Amino acid sequence: MSVPERYVISLRAGNRLRPVTASRTEQRKAELRREIVAASFDCFAEQGYHATGIADIATRLGIGHGTFYRYFDNKRDIVEHVIDDLIARILAALGEENAPDAVSTLEDYRLQSARIGEAVANLIGADPRVPRLLLLEAPGVDAELRERVLDFIESMTEVTAAYLAHGVELGYLRGDLDVVQSARAINGMILGAVIHGVRHHDEDSQATLARAIQRLMYDGIAAR
Amino acid sequence: MSVPERYVISLRAGNRLRPVTASRTEQRKAELRREIVAASFDCFAEQGYHATGIADIATRLGIGHGTFYRYFDNKRDIVEHVIDDLIARILAALGEENAPDAVSTLEDYRLQSARIGEAVANLIGADPRVPRLLLLEAPGVDAELRERVLDFIESMTEVTAAYLAHGVELGYLRGDLDVVQSARAINGMILGAVIHGVRHHDEDSQATLARAIQRLMYDGIAAR
Amino acid sequence: MSVPERYVISLRAGNRLRPVTASRTEQRKAELRREIVAASFDCFAEQGYHATGIADIATRLGIGHGTFYRYFDNKRDIVEHVIDDLIARILAALGEENAPDAVSTLEDYRLQSARIGEAVANLIGADPRVPRLLLLEAPGVDAELRERVLDFIESMTEVTAAYLAHGVELGYLRGDLDVVQSARAINGMILGAVIHGVRHHDEDSQATLARAIQRLMYDGIAAR
Amino acid sequence: MSVPERYVISLRAGNRLRPVTASRTEQRKAELRREIVAASFDCFAEQGYHATGIADIATRLGIGHGTFYRYFDNKRDIVEHVIDDLIARILAALGEENAPDAVSTLEDYRLQSARIGEAVANLIGADPRVPRLLLLEAPGVDAELRERVLDFIESMTEVTAAYLAHGVELGYLRGDLDVVQSARAINGMILGAVIHGVRHHDEDSQATLARAIQRLMYDGIAAR
DNA sequence: CATGAATGAGCCTTCATTCAT
DNA sequence: TATGAATGAAGGCTCATTCAT
C-alpha cells in the first residue's frame, strides 16, 4: 500500500531511520519525547484536548511541567505531534499490507481487502482511542487540525482509488467504475465501520460488519 | 421515514406544536431563544465551540451577554441545543421522504434512495456548516456530546436497516442480507459523502459520488 | 507656560472637559479608572514596575484582578497611562505659570524663573515619587517608554528655548545666546535638581539649589 | 580627579592591579568573567535588563548557561557588576583629566572644564549605550541599583564641588559661590547633555551644547 | 426583564536557578 | 570544571458565570 509522501516523512522523523549513533543523552531525549507524546495521547483520549492541561501531562509522567516545554513549543504543538503520530501508526499498520498492484485476480483482491479490513479492525481492537482521537477529537481542536484530518481521509481515498484503478485495468472490476468516487464510497464504509468500532469493540460485530462491507462491495444488495 | 422518539421530542420542543395560545411575551421569548440558537450556530461554525465566547454570541445578536443566561443555563447548554437543532433539521429534511414501507419494488427503492441521496446533498449544499459542526466540531466538545452524535449516527443506521429489512421481506433485496451491518455500511458511504461535501461543495462532485454510491449498493464493483 | 499639544490633549482626556452630563455608571467607571491609575502609581513607586503584579494593584483597591482588565488592556497599558498621567500632572503644575511672552524685563524674567523653580520644587516636595517614577523607573520599563520620557524632556527643552528666544528678542538676554542649547543646559540643571530632590526632600536644600541655579543662569560662576 | 573610595575598589576588582603571578587557570577565569560582563552589557543594552535572560548572555558567548553561575551568583549579581564596570570606565575616562588643584587661573580652568566636557562627549560618542544603561536602565532594575546610580551622580557632584572650591579659594571664581549647589547645577547640565547624547549622537550637537554650557557657566545668560 | 460590571478559577507559559553527569 | 536537562514558582491573562441595578 503506497502512502503519501508527507506521512512517510513524518513517519521517519518520528522514530525510525535515525542515525544509529545516537549519544546517550540524545536517546534519553528522544525517549522522553516519545513518552510525552504517549502521555499526551492518553490525556487527550481520556479527558479531551481542551480539558487536558499541560500539568496533567507532566504529572502523569512524573516530570515538572516546565520540562514539557523543553520538548514541545506549546499545547498546540503537542496535539499536532500526537495526531501525526496516530496517522503514522495507522499508515504503518496498513502499509504492511500489499501494494495495489500486487494482485491480479478478483479472488486475490477479495483476500487483500479482507486483510486490510482485518488490519483496520485490529487497529480499532488494539486501541479504540486511536480512531476516537483522530476522527472525533482532533477535528474539534481547531480549523487547521480539522483540515489535517480531512487531508488524511482524502489521502486514504487516493490509495483506495489506486487499488480500484488497478482492478479495472486488469478487468476483474467493472469497466465502467468511477474509481475515485467509488473509492470514496468504499472508504466511507470503512470510516463508518471505524466509527462504529469506537463504541462497539466486540470482535463479532467488527467481523460481521467487515463481511457485510465486502459482500456489498462485490455483489451489492440487490436480489439476483 | 420514522424517527427515534427523542428527536421527535426535541423537534417539538424546538419550535413546533406549541399551544397556539402563547402570550405575546412568550412568543418573543421563544423567538429570542431561536435567535440565540441561530447566532450560536453561526459562531460555533465560524470559530469553533471553544474559541467562541458567550460574549461573541450576545454581541452578534446585539443583546447583553447577561441576557443569554436568561435563556440558556450555560455554554454547555446552548451547544447541546444547537446540536439538537441540527439533528432535528436533518431529520426534518430526510423525514420528508417516504417511509420504508412505502415502496414495494426494487425500482421504487432505487428511486427512493436516490431521493434520499439528493436530500442529503441538498442539506450539504444548502449549508456545509451543518455537517461540519455536527460531525467534526460537536464530538470534540466533550464526551457526552460525542455520544450524542454517535447515537444519532446509530439511529440513522436503524432507519436504514428498517428500509433494508422491508426490502428483504418483499424479496427485492438479497435474502441473505445482514440488514443491520449492511445498513451500517451504507450509512458509512453516506457519512463519507457528507464529510467529503464539507470541503467540496461543488454539485458535480456530489452528484457523481451519489451515483457511485448507488451503483455500488445495487451492483457492487465486481465485473460480471 | 505653553505646553506641547499632545500633552494638552492627554490632559483633557484625562479628566477634564468631559461632557457634564455623564451618567451615573459612566462616572463610576471613570472614577475607578482613575483609582486604578492611582493604585498602580503607588505600587510601581513602592515596588517598581516589574515587581508589581496586576494582583497587587487589584488587591490594593479591593477589586478582583479580572476587573483590572475591564479598564486596561494589560500591564503595559497601565504603566503607560500612569506615566502619561504623571506628565500631565507636571505640565499642569508648570502650566499655571505664565507664558514665555508674559515678561519683558530681566527682572520679570528672574521672577518668573523663580516661580517655575518653586513650582518644580513643590512638585517634588509634594510627592518625590513622581520624578522618581518618571525619570528613574519608567525608562527601564522598555524602549518605548524610555523614548516617551526622553520625548517629554525634549519637549520641556523646547518650552525653555521659547522663553530664552523671547528674552533675546526683547534684549534682556545675551544676543549671542544659543537658545536651544542653552535651554538644554538650563533644563539639565533643573533635571539635576529634580533628581537630587528624589532623595533629598528637605526644603532648605531645594531652596539653596534653586538659588544657585538662578545665580548661575544669570551671572555665571566667574569672578568679575 | 579624585574618586570616591568604593569605586576605586571596584575598579581594581574589575580588572586591574591583580597580582602579577596569576596561574593559567586563574587568568582564564578572570578573562571569562570579563567576557561575561561584556556580553551582559551588550544584552542589557540591546534588550533591557528584564528582557534579557541568562540564556541570552550565555548563548552570546557560546557557553552553557550553567557556566554563568560558576562566575556570578545570579542575574542580580551580574547587572551590579556591569553597572560597576560602567562607572569604573567613566571614572577612568574622566580620571585622566587633571586634578582639581592642577589649575590656578580662570583661563586654565576654562580649558580644563573644556577637556572634561570633551571627555564626556567622547564617552558618549564612543558608546551611547553606556549612559543609556547607566542612567536609564539601571535605576529601573531595583531600588538598590537606583541608589547606586544616584550615589554615583552625587559623587560626581562632590568632585565638581572640589574643583569649584579650589577656584573660589584661588579667587578666579566668584567668592560668594555656593560651591556644593553650584556643583550640582553644573553636573545637572552635564547630565542633561549626556541624556541628550543618548539619542543625538552627532558631534556637532554635542559640541555646540558643550559650548553653550561653558558660556552659561562663566558668563550666565543675562545681557550685560 | 435586560444589562453589563465584577469576579476569580484556572491555565499557559517563562525563566532563574539547581544539580547530576 | 562545564554543561544543559530539569524544575516549579510566579504571573499575565481569559472568560464563563453571577448579581445588583
Side-chain angles (χ1 to χ4, degrees):
Chain A
M1 188 181 201
S2 93
V3 145
E5 186 61 16
R6 62 177 298 203
Y7 297 116
V8 176
I9 287 167
S10 76
L11 199 65
R12 277 176 189 153
N15 46 20
R16 288 214 287 231
L17 298 186
R18 300 196 146 279
V20 191
T21 55
S23 81
R24 200 45 174 228
T25 345
E26 266 179 336
Q27 279 185 355
R28 265 214 191 307
K29 243 180 125 157
E31 192 182 355
L32 185 46
R33 250 187 97 87
R34 252 173 282 131
E35 285 183 63
I36 291 175
V37 170
S40 301
F41 169 74
D42 291 343
C43 287
F44 293 154
E46 264 173 42
Q47 333 173 33
Y49 172 73
H50 291 285
T52 297
I54 297 300
D56 297 323
I57 298 169
T59 302
R60 181 177 287 251
L61 281 174
I63 64 174
H65 63 274
T67 307
F68 171 90
Y69 286 94
R70 290 186 58 73
Y71 290 83
F72 295 93
D73 286 342
N74 49 42
K75 197 181 170 184
R76 183 50 219 277
D77 191 24
I78 184 65
V79 73
E80 205 156 319
H81 276 87
V82 167
I83 296 305
D84 281 351
D85 186 61
L86 291 189
I87 290 175
R89 274 201 254 169
I90 293 170
L91 292 175
L94 298 183
E96 287 161 12
E97 305 311 314
N98 344 41
D101 51 4
V103 297
S104 50
T105 69
L106 184 59
E107 188 50 29
D108 284 354
Y109 189 53
R110 271 182 202 271
L111 290 171
Q112 188 181 48
S113 53
R115 278 200 304 276
I116 292 177
E118 209 164 328
V120 171
N122 286 340
L123 210 69
I124 303 167
D127 194 345
R129 296 173 306 163
V130 171
R132 206 179 68 206
L133 201 54
L134 179 63
L135 298 175
L136 299 176
E137 187 75 30
V141 169
D142 65 18
E144 200 199 313
L145 218 45
R146 181 183 69 221
E147 297 303 305
R148 184 93 124 226
V149 172
L150 293 178
D151 282 345
F152 167 68
I153 292 175
E154 288 198 5
S155 77
M156 297 313 295
T157 296
E158 287 169 34
V159 174
T160 301
Y163 277 79
L164 296 182
H166 182 69
V168 170
E169 221 168 290
L170 265 63
Y172 58 79
L173 295 186
R174 273 172 28 212
D176 64 342
L177 205 65
D178 181 335
V179 287
V180 169
Q181 300 294 34
S182 300
R184 236 189 288 280
I186 291 169
N187 274 30
M189 291 194 286
I190 296 173
L191 190 67
V194 169
I195 283 180
H196 177 249
V198 163
R199 291 212 290 192
H200 308 277
H201 318 312
D202 55 303
E203 282 184 32
D204 261 24
S205 156
Q206 289 293 317
T208 54
L209 176 48
R211 230 168 301 135
I213 290 175
Q214 284 164 49
R215 284 245 27 204
L216 219 158
M217 271 179 68
Y218 297 106
D219 309 317
I221 59 174
R224 292 277 148 78
Chain B
M1 188 183 200
S2 93
V3 145
E5 186 60 16
R6 60 177 302 195
Y7 297 117
V8 175
I9 288 167
S10 76
L11 199 64
R12 278 177 189 151
N15 47 19
R16 287 214 284 235
L17 297 186
R18 298 197 145 277
V20 192
T21 55
S23 80
R24 203 73 191 172
T25 33
E26 265 182 336
Q27 279 186 357
R28 271 220 182 299
K29 217 171 151 167
E31 192 183 354
L32 185 46
R33 258 186 89 88
R34 251 172 284 130
E35 286 183 64
I36 291 174
V37 170
S40 301
F41 168 74
D42 291 342
C43 288
F44 293 154
E46 265 173 39
Q47 334 173 33
Y49 172 72
H50 290 285
T52 296
I54 297 300
D56 296 324
I57 297 168
T59 302
R60 182 177 285 250
L61 281 175
I63 63 174
H65 59 278
T67 307
F68 171 92
Y69 285 91
R70 304 200 130 280
Y71 291 82
F72 295 93
D73 287 343
N74 49 43
K75 195 181 172 184
R76 183 48 220 279
D77 191 23
I78 184 65
V79 74
E80 205 157 318
H81 277 87
V82 167
I83 296 305
D84 281 351
D85 185 62
L86 290 189
I87 290 175
R89 273 201 255 169
I90 293 170
L91 292 177
L94 297 183
E96 287 160 12
E97 304 311 315
N98 344 42
D101 51 3
V103 297
S104 50
T105 69
L106 184 58
E107 188 48 31
D108 283 355
Y109 189 53
R110 271 183 202 270
L111 291 170
Q112 189 180 47
S113 56
R115 279 200 304 277
I116 292 177
E118 210 165 327
V120 170
N122 286 340
L123 211 68
I124 303 168
D127 195 346
R129 295 173 307 163
V130 171
R132 206 180 68 205
L133 201 55
L134 179 62
L135 298 175
L136 299 176
E137 188 75 31
V141 169
D142 64 18
E144 201 199 313
L145 217 45
R146 181 183 69 223
E147 296 304 305
R148 184 91 126 228
V149 172
L150 293 178
D151 282 347
F152 166 69
I153 291 175
E154 288 199 5
S155 78
M156 296 311 295
T157 296
E158 286 168 33
V159 173
T160 302
Y163 277 79
L164 294 181
H166 182 70
V168 171
E169 223 168 288
L170 264 61
Y172 59 79
L173 294 187
R174 272 172 30 212
D176 65 342
L177 204 65
D178 180 335
V179 286
V180 170
Q181 301 293 36
S182 298
R184 241 192 280 285
I186 291 169
N187 274 29
M189 290 194 286
I190 297 174
L191 190 67
V194 169
I195 283 180
H196 178 247
V198 164
R199 293 212 288 194
H200 308 277
H201 316 311
D202 54 304
E203 283 184 31
D204 261 25
S205 155
Q206 290 292 319
T208 54
L209 177 48
R211 228 170 302 137
I213 289 174
Q214 285 164 48
R215 282 237 43 194
L216 220 158
M217 271 178 68
Y218 298 105
D219 309 316
I221 58 174
R224 293 274 152 79
Chain C
M1 190 183 198
S2 92
V3 145
E5 187 60 17
R6 63 177 295 202
Y7 297 116
V8 176
I9 288 167
S10 77
L11 197 65
R12 277 175 189 155
N15 46 21
R16 288 215 285 232
L17 297 187
R18 299 194 148 278
V20 191
T21 56
S23 81
R24 202 44 175 232
T25 344
E26 266 179 336
Q27 279 185 357
R28 266 214 192 307
K29 242 180 125 159
E31 192 182 355
L32 185 46
R33 251 188 97 88
R34 252 172 282 131
E35 285 183 62
I36 292 175
V37 170
S40 301
F41 169 74
D42 291 344
C43 288
F44 293 154
E46 264 174 39
Q47 333 173 35
Y49 172 72
H50 290 284
T52 296
I54 297 300
D56 296 324
I57 297 169
T59 302
R60 180 177 288 251
L61 281 174
I63 64 173
H65 64 275
T67 306
F68 171 90
Y69 287 95
R70 290 187 57 74
Y71 290 83
F72 296 92
D73 286 342
N74 49 44
K75 196 180 171 185
R76 184 49 219 280
D77 191 24
I78 184 65
V79 73
E80 205 157 317
H81 277 88
V82 167
I83 296 305
D84 281 351
D85 185 62
L86 291 190
I87 290 175
R89 275 202 253 168
I90 293 170
L91 293 176
L94 298 183
E96 287 160 11
E97 304 311 315
N98 345 40
D101 52 1
V103 296
S104 50
T105 70
L106 184 59
E107 187 50 28
D108 283 354
Y109 189 52
R110 270 181 202 271
L111 290 172
Q112 189 181 47
S113 55
R115 276 199 305 277
I116 291 177
E118 210 164 327
V120 171
N122 286 340
L123 210 69
I124 304 168
D127 194 346
R129 295 172 308 163
V130 171
R132 206 179 68 206
L133 201 55
L134 179 62
L135 298 175
L136 299 175
E137 188 75 30
V141 169
D142 65 17
E144 200 199 311
L145 218 46
R146 181 183 68 223
E147 296 303 306
R148 184 92 123 230
V149 172
L150 293 178
D151 282 345
F152 167 68
I153 291 176
E154 288 198 6
S155 78
M156 297 312 301
T157 297
E158 286 169 34
V159 173
T160 302
Y163 277 78
L164 295 182
H166 181 69
V168 171
E169 220 170 291
L170 263 65
Y172 60 79
L173 295 186
R174 272 172 30 212
D176 65 342
L177 204 65
D178 181 334
V179 287
V180 169
Q181 300 293 33
S182 299
R184 238 189 285 282
I186 291 169
N187 274 30
M189 291 194 287
I190 296 173
L191 190 67
V194 169
I195 283 181
H196 177 248
V198 164
R199 293 212 289 192
H200 307 278
H201 317 312
D202 54 304
E203 284 184 30
D204 261 24
S205 154
Q206 289 292 320
T208 54
L209 176 48
R211 228 169 301 136
I213 290 175
Q214 285 165 50
R215 281 237 44 194
L216 219 159
M217 271 178 68
Y218 297 106
D219 308 316
I221 58 174
R224 293 278 151 75
Chain D
M1 190 181 199
S2 94
V3 148
E5 186 60 16
R6 60 179 301 197
Y7 296 115
V8 175
I9 289 168
S10 77
L11 198 66
R12 277 174 189 156
N15 48 19
R16 289 217 283 234
L17 298 187
R18 300 198 144 277
V20 191
T21 55
S23 81
R24 203 70 190 175
T25 33
E26 266 182 334
Q27 279 186 357
R28 268 219 183 300
K29 218 173 149 165
E31 191 181 354
L32 185 47
R33 259 187 89 89
R34 250 172 283 131
E35 285 182 65
I36 291 175
V37 170
S40 301
F41 168 75
D42 291 342
C43 288
F44 293 154
E46 263 173 40
Q47 334 173 31
Y49 172 72
H50 290 284
T52 296
I54 297 298
D56 295 324
I57 297 168
T59 302
R60 182 176 285 251
L61 281 174
I63 64 173
H65 60 278
T67 309
F68 172 91
Y69 286 92
R70 303 201 132 280
Y71 291 82
F72 295 93
D73 287 342
N74 49 43
K75 197 181 172 184
R76 184 48 221 279
D77 190 24
I78 184 65
V79 74
E80 204 158 319
H81 277 87
V82 167
I83 296 304
D84 282 350
D85 186 62
L86 290 190
I87 290 175
R89 275 203 253 168
I90 293 170
L91 292 176
L94 297 182
E96 287 161 11
E97 304 312 314
N98 345 40
D101 51 2
V103 297
S104 50
T105 69
L106 184 60
E107 188 49 29
D108 283 356
Y109 189 53
R110 273 181 199 272
L111 291 172
Q112 188 180 47
S113 54
R115 277 199 304 277
I116 292 176
E118 210 164 327
V120 171
N122 286 341
L123 211 67
I124 304 168
D127 194 346
R129 297 173 307 164
V130 171
R132 207 180 66 207
L133 201 55
L134 179 63
L135 298 175
L136 299 175
E137 189 75 30
V141 169
D142 64 19
E144 201 199 313
L145 217 46
R146 181 183 68 224
E147 297 303 307
R148 185 91 127 226
V149 172
L150 292 178
D151 282 346
F152 166 67
I153 292 176
E154 288 198 5
S155 78
M156 297 310 293
T157 296
E158 287 169 33
V159 173
T160 302
Y163 277 78
L164 294 182
H166 182 69
V168 171
E169 224 170 286
L170 264 64
Y172 59 78
L173 295 186
R174 271 171 31 211
D176 63 343
L177 204 65
D178 180 335
V179 288
V180 169
Q181 300 294 35
S182 299
R184 239 189 286 282
I186 290 169
N187 274 30
M189 290 194 286
I190 296 173
L191 189 67
V194 169
I195 283 179
H196 178 249
V198 163
R199 293 212 289 192
H200 307 276
H201 317 312
D202 55 304
E203 283 185 31
D204 260 25
S205 155
Q206 290 292 320
T208 54
L209 176 49
R211 228 169 302 137
I213 289 174
Q214 285 164 49
R215 281 241 35 200
L216 219 159
M217 271 178 69
Y218 298 106
D219 307 318
I221 59 174
R224 293 275 151 77

